[in-house]
Amino acid sequence: MTYDLTPEQQKLRDEVRDFADTVVGPAAYEYDTKRELPYEILAQMGEMGLFGLPFPTEYGGQGRDYVDLCLAVEQLARVDQSIAVTLEAGVGLGAMPVWRSGTEAQKQEWIPMLAQGKALAAFGLTEADAGSDAAGTKTTARLEDGEWVIDGTKQFITNSGSRITRLITITAVTGQSVREDGSVKKELTAILVPRETPGLTVLPAYDKVGWHTSDTHPLRFEDVRVPEANLLGERGRGFAQFIQTLDEGRVAFAALCTGAAQGCLEEAMRYAKSRNVFGHPIGENQHIAFTIARMESRVHAARLAWLDAAHRLVAGQPFKLEASLAKLIGSEAAMDNARDATQIFGGYGVMNENPVARHYRDSKILEIGEGTTQVQLMVIARELGFSGASR
C-alpha cells in the first residue's frame, strides 16, 4: 500500500498548513486564555470546505474522503489542538453517524448545514458510569404516542454547547432482554436530538486542564421528547453504530495526535537552532540533537500509522486493529514529544504563551479521549486473538 499523496491532497495539506500558521496559530493563545471558541475562525474553515471534506457535493460537501479530512486535522493540530478537535469531532463524531446510519430525509436535513460548517453536531455517548463500558448506559428512551421520551445525563460531550450546535446524537437504553445465563442485556439505540428540544439542558462548561478553546459540557435530559422518526439506524443497533463511529473517529483522532507531535517537534527544532548557551546553539549538544531525533521518529511512526488506517477505511478494508494502533501510537507520540519539547525549552517551556506549554497541557487528553490507552490495548489484544483481554 502506498501513502503518496495525490497532487490534490498535497494542495489541501499545504493550504490548511498555511491557514493554520497565519490565522489559527497567531490567535491560539488569546482564545486559549479567554477559553472561547473562535467562531470567526470556524466560519473561515467552513468557507474552506473543511467540515464537508468527506461528504458528497450534492449534500454540500467537497466530495473528498477520510484521508483528506485527516490531513486537515493534522495540520490544524500542529498549532491548536482545540481547533483541530472541533473539526475532528464535528465531522467524525457529529456528522458521520448521520451520514452512515441516517435515512435519506435525515441526511437531507442535517448533512448540508454540518458539511458547510454552519452548524455543529455532538456525539452523546459517555456517562458517569458508561464510556469504555457501554453496558453501563443509564440514559433511557421509551416510545410514547409516537415520540421518544428521553431521560438521563451525558458527560464530556464535545461541541455540545456552542452557539452553532444544532444536533446531538445520543445512545439510550430502549429495552432489555435476559440471556440464557440469566444476565440482562440492554438494548441500546441511537436517537437524534435537536439542540433546542425542550427538556435538554446544557450544563456549565468544564474547567479543563487543556483544550481550553474546545466546547465541552455535561448534558441533562428530562422528559425530552422527539419524533419516533428521529431514530438513527435500527432500534437496538446503537452499540454497533457507536463502535463504528469510534473506530472511524480514532483514525482522525490519530491524525490530530500526529499533528500535535509534529507541532512540538517544529518548535523544539526552531529553538534548538536559535538558543545559544556557552557560545553555541543548544542543538549542537548531542543530548538535545538525539532528543529531537527521537521526536522525529515518533512523528514518522504516528503518521504512517494513521495513513495506513485511513487508507484501509477508504478502501473498505477491515481497519479496527489499525485504528487502535494509530490512536495508541499517535497519542503516546504527542505526549512524549510535548514533554521533551518542554524540557528543551527549559523555563520558557512552562510559559503559557509558548505553544509548547499549551501542547503539554492539551496532549494528556489524547491518551484518554475516544478510548483510553488501556481500551486501545484491549482492542489490539482482542484483534490478535486474546479474547480474555477485557477481563
Side-chain angles (χ1 to χ4, degrees):
M1 188 175 291
T2 177
Y3 301 128
D4 291 339
L5 300 183
T6 66
E8 292 78 12
Q9 289 174 329
Q10 294 176 30
K11 184 173 183 290
L12 171 68
R13 179 198 59 195
D14 294 344
E15 287 177 348
V16 179
R17 182 182 181 91
D18 181 68
F19 176 74
D21 288 341
T22 59
V23 177
V24 180
Y29 175 57
E30 176 188 354
Y31 284 104
D32 183 82
T33 302
K34 294 192 296 186
R35 303 194 177 205
E36 293 180 1
L37 193 60
Y39 292 100
E40 66 278 10
I41 290 179
L42 297 186
Q44 289 179 261
M45 291 164 58
E47 292 171 0
M48 293 173 66
L50 301 188
F51 287 94
L53 283 170
F55 304 114
T57 55
E58 57 265 35
Y59 291 90
Q62 298 298 304
R64 309 284 283 260
D65 62 28
Y66 217 80
V67 174
D68 297 83
L69 171 65
C70 292
L71 288 170
V73 168
E74 179 183 328
Q75 292 307 315
L76 292 171
R78 291 171 37 255
V79 300
D80 192 337
Q81 292 186 38
S82 289
I83 292 297
V85 79
T86 300
L87 173 63
E88 183 271 332
V91 177
L93 301 183
M96 198 57 72
V98 181
W99 177 248
R100 295 295 190 203
S101 304
T103 64
E104 183 60 28
Q106 289 169 343
K107 293 177 184 178
Q108 292 287 353
E109 179 179 5
W110 294 108
I111 296 299
M113 70 173 78
L114 298 174
Q116 294 170 42
K118 296 179 179 178
L120 287 174
F123 183 59
L125 168 66
T126 306
E127 300 181 8
D129 297 316
S132 300
D133 178 15
T137 299
K138 294 181 179 178
T139 296
T140 62
R142 68 183 188 278
L143 276 175
E144 185 177 288
D145 298 327
E147 294 181 317
W148 291 106
V149 183
I150 305 166
D151 291 282
T153 59
K154 299 290 181 178
Q155 65 180 19
F156 309 142
I157 309 303
T158 304
N159 293 344
S160 58
S162 77
R163 71 183 189 215
I164 60 172
T165 298
R166 296 292 179 267
L167 177 68
I168 300 168
T169 299
I170 68 156
T171 52
V173 179
T174 53
Q176 62 183 34
S177 59
V178 179
R179 299 186 179 92
E180 292 183 1
D181 62 2
S183 61
V184 174
K185 178 183 178 181
K186 293 181 178 179
E187 175 188 81
L188 292 179
T189 300
I191 300 172
L192 301 175
V193 183
R195 166 66 185 83
E196 300 302 324
T197 305
L200 167 56
T201 302
V202 177
L203 300 172
Y206 293 103
D207 181 14
K208 305 188 296 290
V209 169
W211 283 10
H212 289 164
T213 304
S214 173
D215 177 79
T216 319
H217 296 261
L219 306 172
R220 183 170 63 232
F221 299 82
E222 297 176 298
D223 197 39
V224 172
R225 294 172 179 265
V226 298
E228 184 177 356
N230 281 31
L231 171 72
L232 182 64
E234 300 177 29
R235 177 170 178 166
R237 290 282 298 168
F239 182 82
Q241 288 170 227
F242 80 68
I243 288 296
Q244 180 185 25
T245 297
L246 289 177
D247 284 344
E248 290 188 359
R250 284 168 185 160
V251 179
F253 201 85
L256 191 159
C257 295
T258 304
Q262 176 73 41
C264 290
L265 170 64
E266 292 175 7
E267 290 294 325
M269 289 179 62
R270 178 186 60 78
Y271 191 70
K273 293 176 180 178
S274 62
R275 171 64 168 165
N276 290 305
V277 176
F278 299 119
H280 59 82
I282 61 173
E284 293 184 8
N285 295 317
Q286 188 183 73
H287 173 69
I288 299 295
F290 280 11
T291 297
I292 292 175
R294 182 75 68 183
M295 294 171 70
E296 167 66 22
S297 71
R298 295 178 190 130
V299 171
H300 186 74
R303 183 170 293 117
L304 288 176
W306 81 247
L307 279 167
D308 180 43
H311 277 89
R312 289 174 180 273
L313 189 165
V314 170
Q317 300 173 356
F319 68 95
K320 178 185 285 289
L321 171 62
E322 289 75 15
S324 282
L325 285 168
K327 202 275 184 180
L328 176 67
I329 294 168
S331 59
E332 291 185 344
M335 193 69 240
D336 289 344
N337 275 16
R339 182 180 59 250
D340 283 347
T342 301
Q343 191 70 25
I344 288 172
F345 270 85
Y348 293 113
V350 294
M351 299 296 108
N352 279 329
E353 64 268 22
N354 189 331
V356 164
R358 189 167 61 253
H359 276 305
Y360 188 82
R361 288 187 284 105
D362 289 348
S363 292
K364 183 57 196 174
I365 187 61
L366 300 177
E367 297 183 310
I368 299 171
E370 296 202 32
T372 64
T373 294
Q374 290 71 31
V375 165
Q376 305 315 313
L377 292 169
M378 178 185 71
V379 172
I380 293 165
R382 282 178 175 175
E383 291 295 302
L384 294 176
F386 296 96
S387 59
S390 60
R391 293 196 289 271

